[in-house]
Amino acid sequence: MQQSKINKQAPSMRMRFSDLFEIHERKIRPKVEVEVKGVRLKPGETIDDASERTGINLLSHRECCFDVEKKDGVYVIKTIYD
Protein backbone atom coordinates (compact mmCIF):
# COMPACT_ATOMS: atom_id res chain seq x y z
CA MET A 1 0.00 0.00 0.00
CA GLN A 2 1.40 3.38 -1.01
CA GLN A 3 1.10 6.33 1.32
CA SER A 4 0.13 9.65 -0.13
CA LYS A 5 2.26 12.63 0.76
CA ILE A 6 0.52 15.36 2.67
CA ASN A 7 1.79 18.84 1.94
CA LYS A 8 1.94 20.44 5.37
CA GLN A 9 1.76 24.20 5.41
CA ALA A 10 3.12 26.22 8.27
CA PRO A 11 0.29 27.50 10.44
CA SER A 12 -0.35 31.19 10.07
CA MET A 13 -0.25 33.52 13.03
CA ARG A 14 -1.35 37.07 13.62
CA MET A 15 1.46 39.46 14.50
CA ARG A 16 1.61 43.19 15.12
CA PHE A 17 3.83 45.55 13.13
CA SER A 18 5.92 46.08 16.27
CA ASP A 19 6.60 42.31 16.49
CA LEU A 20 8.29 42.39 13.08
CA PHE A 21 9.60 45.93 12.62
CA GLU A 22 10.90 48.93 14.49
CA ILE A 23 10.81 52.55 13.35
CA HIS A 24 13.82 54.80 13.71
CA GLU A 25 13.77 58.35 12.29
CA ARG A 26 10.85 57.55 9.94
CA LYS A 27 12.68 54.51 8.58
CA ILE A 28 11.82 50.86 9.09
CA ARG A 29 14.15 48.18 10.42
CA PRO A 30 13.04 44.55 10.41
CA LYS A 31 13.62 42.81 13.75
CA VAL A 32 13.56 39.40 12.01
CA GLU A 33 13.88 38.23 8.41
CA VAL A 34 10.61 39.16 6.70
CA GLU A 35 9.25 38.42 3.24
CA VAL A 36 6.67 40.75 1.66
CA LYS A 37 5.34 39.99 -1.82
CA GLY A 38 8.39 37.83 -2.58
CA VAL A 39 10.90 40.43 -1.36
CA ARG A 40 13.12 39.52 1.61
CA LEU A 41 13.95 42.19 4.16
CA LYS A 42 16.88 41.39 6.45
CA PRO A 43 17.05 42.15 10.18
CA GLY A 44 18.76 45.47 10.91
CA GLU A 45 18.45 46.64 7.29
CA THR A 46 17.16 50.24 7.23
CA ILE A 47 14.57 51.07 4.58
CA ASP A 48 12.42 54.15 3.97
CA ASP A 49 8.98 52.56 3.71
CA ALA A 50 9.61 49.48 1.52
CA SER A 51 7.16 50.67 -1.14
CA GLU A 52 9.79 50.82 -3.89
CA ARG A 53 10.81 47.21 -3.25
CA THR A 54 7.50 45.60 -2.22
CA GLY A 55 4.78 47.87 -3.60
CA ILE A 56 3.48 48.32 -0.04
CA ASN A 57 4.13 51.35 2.16
CA LEU A 58 4.80 49.56 5.44
CA LEU A 59 4.95 52.82 7.40
CA SER A 60 1.27 53.38 6.67
CA HIS A 61 0.53 49.99 8.31
CA ARG A 62 2.46 50.57 11.56
CA GLU A 63 -0.74 50.21 13.65
CA CYS A 64 -1.89 47.07 11.83
CA CYS A 65 -1.76 43.33 12.35
CA PHE A 66 -0.32 40.90 9.81
CA ASP A 67 -1.23 37.32 8.96
CA VAL A 68 2.21 35.66 8.87
CA GLU A 69 3.58 32.20 8.13
CA LYS A 70 7.03 31.26 9.40
CA LYS A 71 8.93 29.27 6.77
CA ASP A 72 12.53 28.23 7.36
CA GLY A 73 13.01 31.07 9.86
CA VAL A 74 11.51 33.72 7.55
CA TYR A 75 8.29 35.50 8.51
CA VAL A 76 6.20 35.63 5.31
CA ILE A 77 3.49 38.29 5.39
CA LYS A 78 0.32 36.94 3.75
CA THR A 79 -2.30 39.55 4.72
CA ILE A 80 -2.34 43.00 6.29
CA TYR A 81 -5.35 43.83 8.47
CA ASP A 82 -6.12 47.56 8.61
Side-chain angles (χ1 to χ4, degrees):
M1 185 158 115
Q2 188 177 12
Q3 284 186 328
S4 62
K5 290 184 180 179
I6 299 173
N7 189 7
K8 292 184 179 180
Q9 290 187 358
S12 63
M13 58 191 138
R14 193 171 279 207
M15 299 181 79
R16 299 202 53 77
F17 179 93
S18 60
D19 296 327
L20 301 169
F21 304 99
E22 61 185 2
I23 299 174
H24 181 69
E25 296 180 4
R26 303 252 336 132
K27 295 186 187 244
I28 297 171
R29 265 192 217 142
K31 294 179 178 180
V32 295
E33 191 166 357
V34 178
E35 184 177 308
V36 182
K37 295 182 90 177
V39 177
R40 292 247 175 122
L41 306 173
K42 305 273 187 208
E45 174 183 25
T46 302
I47 48 180
D48 286 331
D49 62 15
S51 61
E52 284 186 23
R53 294 172 60 189
T54 65
I56 297 171
N57 180 342
L58 290 172
L59 273 176
S60 68
H61 298 288
R62 64 185 170 271
E63 299 298 323
C64 298
C65 287
F66 301 86
D67 186 28
V68 176
E69 286 182 11
K70 189 173 180 183
K71 294 182 182 176
D72 299 323
V74 179
Y75 292 83
V76 181
I77 295 174
K78 297 294 187 181
T79 307
I80 300 173
Y81 298 100
D82 288 324

